[in-house]
Amino acid sequence: MSTTPHPQVVVVMGVAGTGKTTIGPLVAEAMALPYAEGDDFHPAANVAKMSAGVPLDDTDRAPWLDAIGAWAHDRAGLGGVVSSSALKRTYRDRLRAAAPGVVFLHLTGDRELIEGRMSARKGHFMPTALLDSQFATLQPLEEDEAGVAVDVSGTPEEIAARAVAALRALAG
């Protein structure tokens, strides 16, 4: 897609542990687009709350979503890839309101696989204990939402290749 006249702004979404931070940069590289880590947009209070094992509420997420939306808006016509859990339809609607052309790459997977990956990662503020709240909050992409769902089984390279192929097919 790097050669298309209107590169996409892709929001890599999914519950914690699906590999947004791993797959996002691989997709961005394959599409020759810049990548932004969604966790970097969180206010310090959000990071502290999650580090303490407390799930964020919608009020906590609002400034974070607005910051990601502003980044996506600024990338309109240029393209880019950014990660954001974007678990609820209302969150995705908020991102689309800021950047109407965004498309979503929903990383999906079996809870057991995701929990195993979360348990193995080091130095991340999101504890495995919050995975249940993530799955309870998740509202998968609906038919009227621009995006694709990609399973996270396999290697990061395999997942990214499936994601790029699905995004290219979506772009037509």
Side-chain angles (χ1 to χ4, degrees):
M1 267 189 274
S2 61
T3 60
T4 60
H6 303 289
Q8 295 171 315
V9 176
V10 178
V11 177
V12 182
M13 63 169 281
V15 299
T18 53
K20 296 180 295 292
T21 299
T22 301
I23 304 306
L26 292 173
V27 168
E29 181 180 356
M31 297 171 69
L33 296 172
Y35 173 75
E37 171 55 50
D39 287 342
D40 294 343
F41 292 89
H42 274 296
N46 284 7
V47 174
K49 193 171 184 178
M50 289 183 286
S51 296
V54 179
L56 299 180
D57 60 28
D58 289 353
T59 302
D60 297 322
R61 287 186 181 97
W64 174 64
L65 290 166
D66 290 344
I68 291 171
W71 184 89
H73 178 269
D74 290 347
R75 298 298 313 163
L78 303 171
V81 178
V82 61
S83 60
S84 168
S85 55
L87 299 177
K88 287 185 181 180
R89 170 73 188 242
T90 56
Y91 304 161
R92 296 188 299 272
D93 289 345
R94 190 175 189 124
L95 292 172
R96 270 191 297 273
V102 299
V103 297
F104 293 90
L105 168 59
H106 182 186
L107 299 179
T108 65
D110 173 84
R111 189 195 186 290
E112 185 178 326
L113 172 67
I114 294 168
E115 183 175 20
R117 288 181 178 175
M118 283 184 77
S119 297
R121 67 185 183 182
K122 305 288 183 231
H124 195 278
F125 60 81
M126 176 67 88
T128 304
L130 290 182
L131 188 55
D132 286 334
S133 73
Q134 292 262 302
F135 272 108
T137 302
L138 176 63
Q139 296 172 341
L141 288 175
E142 296 178 24
E143 286 188 27
D144 66 329
E145 293 184 271
V148 296
V150 173
D151 183 76
V152 295
S153 57
T155 67
E157 292 76 18
E158 292 167 341
I159 299 162
R162 287 194 307 268
V164 169
L167 289 165
R168 285 186 175 143
L170 181 67

